[in-house]
Amino acid sequence: MIQNIQIRELTPRHLRQSCSNCSLRELCLPIGLNPEEMQELDAIITQARPIKRGEALYRAGEPFKSLFAIRVGFFKASVISEDGREQVTGFHMSGELMGMDAISSDFHTCDAIALEDSEVCELPFGEIEELAGDVPLLQRHLYKVMSREIVRDHGVMLLLGNMKAEERLAAFLLNLSQRFAIRGYSSTSFHLRMTREEIGSYLGLKLETVSRTLSKFQDQGFIKVQNRLIEIIDGDSLKKLLSNCQGE
Amino acid sequence: MIQNIQIRELTPRHLRQSCSNCSLRELCLPIGLNPEEMQELDAIITQARPIKRGEALYRAGEPFKSLFAIRVGFFKASVISEDGREQVTGFHMSGELMGMDAISSDFHTCDAIALEDSEVCELPFGEIEELAGDVPLLQRHLYKVMSREIVRDHGVMLLLGNMKAEERLAAFLLNLSQRFAIRGYSSTSFHLRMTREEIGSYLGLKLETVSRTLSKFQDQGFIKVQNRLIEIIDGDSLKKLLSNCQGE
DNA sequence: TATTTTATCTGATCTAGATCAATCTTTATT
DNA sequence: AATAAAGATTGATCTAGATCAGATAAAATA
């Protein structure tokens, strides 16, 4: 299903809910490591770092040192073209890993901006890499996470290249809904952390089109919009919009 | 520069031109391994496999076993949505690695179709992964290659989300040009392996728009088009089109 | 070589979404 | 609380690119 393409899977909650301190274990790399390996991992990870809303976790051009696991919060990632146009490449929430684009060149290639007060764990890549050499499960997990990012990106390409405004918005809302659900939040009522303009940038639309389309969905009884609060009234109709997007 | 965003770097030619048989060494992973490591790598890689034009190297849904290094030839990668719409996610040429999207789920998520008679080396991922655990340089290289794919995808998102038809075509032509140049082919005269429709799918345009825009470039004296043969007459003007794409 | 089939080009028209513009609402700041 | 700034909505208009349609041209096949 189209709306699944960009979804990141997470480990079931029961596997990570018991941990209270920041660690890879409970977040992005919750794999079957033995206690000893776990300890090595924990030793690498620095204490959770708070990022205030509006602050940058990193910016394009900065030297790459670490990946970041989002402990709590919400980020946007975006590339800025030389002429100043912003393309939001993704929205990221708790349990997700950011910064993988920087591995290739040792410099960050996008900005990561907190859209709400957040906390991240810093994972020094050199050390993670070294440990991964000794811990096959960790190594494999890193490959999987990167691969998942590639798959997600392909889903966005499909969206940008083939879908029309309503389909894009429907896919976007359903994707957010699912990701909130996975994290134990309501899938039918949630707060958008980003502006209409940022949604538009992500979806390849202008903010006016985003606004109009949300209003239209509301008029059709699919959702209820109160500024940034979204209530999904009729998710099936949204899903139908997606499967209806016949190209033939 | 926008047109560089999707470019894959390759190792300088002198590092790989001496090898005649198919190997990672000369292709996608030309890193400073010692002779012993080299041998282990070679042992893993199966003999070059020919893929005829039009044939699939793999298809979405097939179980994942190996990555593929393109030895010679040209491929398109595409995802097909349930309703049958194709989105070309990339064109790949010699020296590039395909199939990384499949690591995340152990199934291929896109089709890889040869656009000319090609040859690939199969890299059984399980074995590569195992060797990577013992050979840090190989491990690091795999991370880098995957990261580069993510960066490339972000470039395509920028193109699809922000650029207009002329800019997209200019970026596309310049990107091909550079990639041919890196491989020792002419950067100013090359044969398109794909149809106008496939170009359109990649760039988020209809084939008619691709055709019209190529004609327009020809009228402006930027390029010469003879069916699939492209001659770049005035590359600077194409580049200017890209830097001119002011969004403010 | 003749004959399909497939790909490309070009023109005419249409439309989804952009752009321009004004108002309204929420949030931040004093 | 008052004011300023930022974000969101809604309407009117415009346009880049889609769609429809027909004409060529190239490539595949008989």
Side-chain angles (χ1 to χ4, degrees):
Chain A
M1 315 232 282
I2 292 179
Q3 70 268 32
N4 281 332
I5 287 175
Q6 326 168 24
I7 307 250
R8 289 145 184 266
E9 293 150 54
L10 273 189
T11 301
R13 301 191 75 219
H14 65 85
L15 288 184
R16 59 193 166 82
Q17 65 192 2
S18 58
C19 304
S20 68
N21 71 324
C22 169
S23 107
L24 270 186
R25 198 178 0 163
E26 65 184 88
L27 287 168
C28 310
L29 300 168
I31 47 184
L33 304 188
N34 66 40
E36 196 189 331
E37 292 167 340
M38 284 285 204
Q39 217 167 14
E40 293 193 73
L41 204 47
D42 276 348
I44 289 174
I45 302 158
T46 60
Q47 212 42 44
R49 181 171 126 203
I51 309 278
K52 277 247 171 336
R53 184 177 150 222
E55 280 180 12
L57 176 55
Y58 51 77
R59 290 201 175 269
E62 288 177 9
F64 170 62
K65 275 165 56 182
S66 304
L67 299 175
F68 293 94
I70 305 174
R71 216 173 95 77
V72 293
F74 202 96
F75 286 83
K76 73 167 173 181
S78 59
V79 293
I80 314 269
S81 67
E82 14 165 8
D83 52 13
R85 282 183 290 189
E86 176 185 47
Q87 173 70 35
V88 172
T89 55
F91 295 108
H92 301 283
M93 49 177 87
S94 63
E96 295 179 349
L97 210 55
M98 298 189 75
M100 292 174 289
D101 54 280
I103 296 171
S104 74
S105 65
D106 280 322
F107 290 93
H108 286 283
T109 64
C110 46
D111 292 1
I113 311 286
L115 296 185
E116 64 181 31
D117 292 354
S118 304
E119 268 179 48
V120 299
C121 299
E122 188 169 348
L123 318 178
F125 186 65
E127 295 171 50
I128 289 285
E129 208 182 0
E130 202 179 331
L131 184 58
D134 298 332
V135 183
L137 276 173
L138 175 61
Q139 190 198 30
R140 156 150 303 213
H141 195 82
L142 285 172
Y143 290 135
K144 291 219 176 211
V145 170
M146 293 187 75
S147 172
R148 198 177 304 148
E149 175 72 19
I150 293 172
V151 173
R152 187 190 72 85
D153 290 347
H154 289 173
V156 176
M157 285 187 212
L158 180 63
L159 180 142
L160 291 172
N162 272 298
M163 293 173 144
K164 28 190 164 8
E166 289 187 29
E167 297 165 356
R168 295 183 198 192
L169 251 304
F172 174 72
L173 292 175
L174 289 169
N175 174 266
L176 276 186
S177 165
Q178 275 199 260
R179 288 160 72 195
F180 282 126
I182 286 168
R183 285 160 180 78
Y185 301 115
S186 169
S187 67
T188 55
S189 176
F190 48 84
H191 185 80
L192 297 174
R193 271 73 172 179
M194 69 296 279
T195 66
R196 303 290 191 261
E197 189 168 22
E198 286 162 337
I199 297 173
S201 169
Y202 181 58
L203 298 178
L205 301 170
K206 292 295 160 185
L207 71 95
E208 293 94 329
T209 304
V210 173
S211 178
R212 270 187 249 274
T213 306
L214 289 177
S215 298
K216 191 172 177 188
F217 283 171
Q218 179 165 244
D219 293 346
Q220 292 173 308
F222 298 168
I223 62 175
K224 189 149 178 279
V225 188
Q226 285 176 281
N227 202 28
R228 297 203 183 173
L229 183 69
I230 299 287
E231 254 183 273
I232 297 191
I233 312 283
D234 181 2
D236 287 346
S237 289
L238 288 178
K239 280 174 202 146
K240 216 170 141 197
L241 255 183
L242 275 188
S243 41
N244 265 1
C245 51
Q246 254 93 321
E248 38 30 57
Chain B
M1 314 231 284
I2 290 179
Q3 70 267 30
N4 280 332
I5 288 175
Q6 325 168 27
I7 307 247
R8 289 146 183 269
E9 291 150 56
L10 274 188
T11 300
R13 299 192 75 218
H14 65 86
L15 288 184
R16 55 194 168 82
Q17 66 193 0
S18 58
C19 305
S20 68
N21 70 324
C22 168
S23 107
L24 270 187
R25 202 177 356 166
E26 64 185 89
L27 286 169
C28 310
L29 301 167
I31 47 185
L33 304 188
N34 67 40
E36 196 190 331
E37 292 166 339
M38 285 285 205
Q39 217 168 14
E40 293 192 74
L41 204 48
D42 276 348
I44 289 174
I45 301 158
T46 59
Q47 213 40 46
R49 181 171 125 204
I51 310 279
K52 278 245 171 335
R53 184 177 149 223
E55 280 180 11
L57 175 55
Y58 52 76
R59 289 200 177 269
E62 288 177 9
F64 170 62
K65 273 164 59 182
S66 304
L67 297 175
F68 294 94
I70 305 173
R71 216 173 96 75
V72 293
F74 202 96
F75 286 82
K76 73 166 174 182
S78 58
V79 293
I80 314 269
S81 66
E82 12 163 12
D83 53 11
R85 282 182 289 188
E86 177 185 46
Q87 173 69 38
V88 172
T89 55
F91 295 109
H92 301 283
M93 49 178 84
S94 62
E96 294 179 350
L97 210 55
M98 296 188 76
M100 292 173 290
D101 53 280
I103 296 172
S104 73
S105 65
D106 281 322
F107 289 93
H108 287 283
T109 64
C110 47
D111 293 0
I113 311 287
L115 296 184
E116 64 180 32
D117 292 354
S118 304
E119 266 179 49
V120 300
C121 299
E122 189 169 346
L123 319 179
F125 185 65
E127 296 170 50
I128 290 286
E129 210 182 0
E130 202 178 331
L131 184 59
D134 298 332
V135 182
L137 276 173
L138 175 59
Q139 190 198 29
R140 155 151 303 214
H141 196 82
L142 285 173
Y143 291 135
K144 291 219 177 211
V145 170
M146 294 187 73
S147 172
R148 198 178 304 148
E149 175 71 19
I150 293 171
V151 173
R152 188 190 71 86
D153 291 348
H154 290 173
V156 176
M157 286 186 213
L158 180 63
L159 180 142
L160 291 171
N162 271 299
M163 293 173 139
K164 26 191 164 10
E166 288 188 29
E167 297 165 356
R168 295 183 198 192
L169 250 306
F172 174 72
L173 292 174
L174 290 169
N175 173 265
L176 277 186
S177 166
Q178 274 199 260
R179 288 160 71 194
F180 283 126
I182 286 168
R183 284 159 181 78
Y185 301 116
S186 169
S187 67
T188 55
S189 175
F190 49 84
H191 184 81
L192 298 175
R193 272 74 171 178
M194 69 297 281
T195 67
R196 303 289 192 262
E197 189 168 20
E198 286 163 335
I199 297 173
S201 169
Y202 181 58
L203 298 178
L205 301 170
K206 293 294 159 185
L207 70 95
E208 294 94 330
T209 304
V210 172
S211 178
R212 269 187 250 273
T213 307
L214 289 177
S215 299
K216 191 172 177 189
F217 283 170
Q218 180 164 244
D219 294 346
Q220 292 172 308
F222 298 168
I223 63 175
K224 190 150 177 278
V225 187
Q226 285 175 283
N227 202 28
R228 296 204 183 173
L229 184 69
I230 299 287
E231 254 183 272
I232 296 189
I233 311 284
D234 182 3
D236 286 346
S237 289
L238 289 178
K239 280 173 202 147
K240 216 170 140 198
L241 255 182
L242 276 188
S243 42
N244 265 1
C245 51
Q246 256 91 320
E248 44 20 67

